[in-house]
Amino acid sequence: LENALSALRFDFQCVELGVTDQLLSCWLENISANGFYTSSTLNFEENVVWPQSTPNPVGTPFYYWEPNEPLNIRSDKAVVAYTTPTSESKGNKYANNSGWVLIIPQSSQNSGSVKLCFKTSTGGSAVYSINLPAYTFKAGHRYTYHVKITSTGIDMSLTIADWNQRKSSYEIDFNE
């Protein structure tokens, strides 16, 4: 039996040397009615099938995560969200501190149907967000989004690997 789920991971890094910040929370949020969905019914046929379900409501946070202690974002090493202890209501149940959020395989037709949102200590109450490009999350694959915080904005790239492959063989840069 093949893996029936996909996995998402988000790591954060400050690009400029010597610049640091702290990750306070992160979550996903739909920005269109045909966005990301978090529930469905698994059908066992010849292949594992997840029929598309109703997407999460627009503007409602899902997979919300907030660590008990802020995570230090540095230039020399990326910090991974969903990896430190949290209370059950703050996201521990999504990844069990592994950093991998298990999701239902799905696709979007449009870039910008879902966005990654996060807060940092230097941003105060500001919410930073970056739209995820059109996506296809296939069963048995892991997707790592690399968020790079610069002095002028946010850059993001993606690496994709098979479930059992330790490192990705390629990277997609969304900023070029």
Side-chain angles (χ1 to χ4, degrees):
L1 178 67
E2 65 182 49
N3 290 307
L5 296 171
S6 302
L8 293 181
R9 189 173 186 163
F10 301 96
D11 65 38
F12 294 81
Q13 188 169 11
C14 290
V15 174
E16 282 84 17
L17 289 175
V19 174
T20 61
D21 204 340
Q22 292 182 312
L23 182 63
L24 302 178
S25 61
C26 72
W27 64 92
L28 294 175
E29 198 173 293
N30 281 335
I31 30 183
S32 76
N34 61 350
F36 201 93
Y37 59 98
T38 57
S39 65
S40 184
T41 304
L42 177 63
N43 293 331
F44 286 101
E45 297 173 0
E46 277 187 34
N47 296 313
V48 174
V49 178
W50 289 96
Q52 186 158 352
S53 169
T54 304
N56 290 32
V58 172
T60 301
F62 56 96
Y63 297 134
Y64 181 84
W65 173 82
E66 181 181 313
N68 289 336
E69 298 289 327
L71 294 182
N72 293 322
I73 306 172
R74 307 183 324 239
S75 60
D76 60 334
K77 184 178 179 188
V79 64
V80 180
Y82 300 94
T83 56
T84 62
T86 66
S87 67
E88 191 67 21
S89 64
K90 304 285 180 147
N92 189 39
K93 60 185 172 186
Y94 304 123
N96 200 24
N97 302 331
S98 70
W100 293 106
V101 178
L102 301 179
I103 63 163
I104 297 168
Q106 56 192 288
S107 296
S108 76
Q109 304 303 317
N110 307 326
S111 182
S113 63
V114 67
K115 63 184 175 181
L116 170 66
C117 303
F118 61 96
K119 289 184 177 182
T120 66
S121 59
T122 60
S125 61
V127 174
Y128 299 99
S129 67
I130 186 166
N131 293 353
L132 300 184
Y135 54 82
T136 297
F137 299 127
K138 295 181 181 179
H141 288 78
R142 297 179 302 139
Y143 301 84
T144 303
Y145 285 93
H146 307 281
V147 179
K148 306 230 186 258
I149 301 169
T150 70
S151 59
T152 58
I154 304 167
D155 293 333
M156 185 170 57
S157 62
L158 169 69
T159 54
I160 303 169
D162 288 337
W163 197 272
N164 297 320
Q165 186 178 346
R166 187 162 176 86
K167 296 202 178 214
S168 175
S169 55
Y170 56 95
E171 182 172 348
I172 301 166
D173 189 343
F174 300 121
N175 306 302
E176 294 184 354

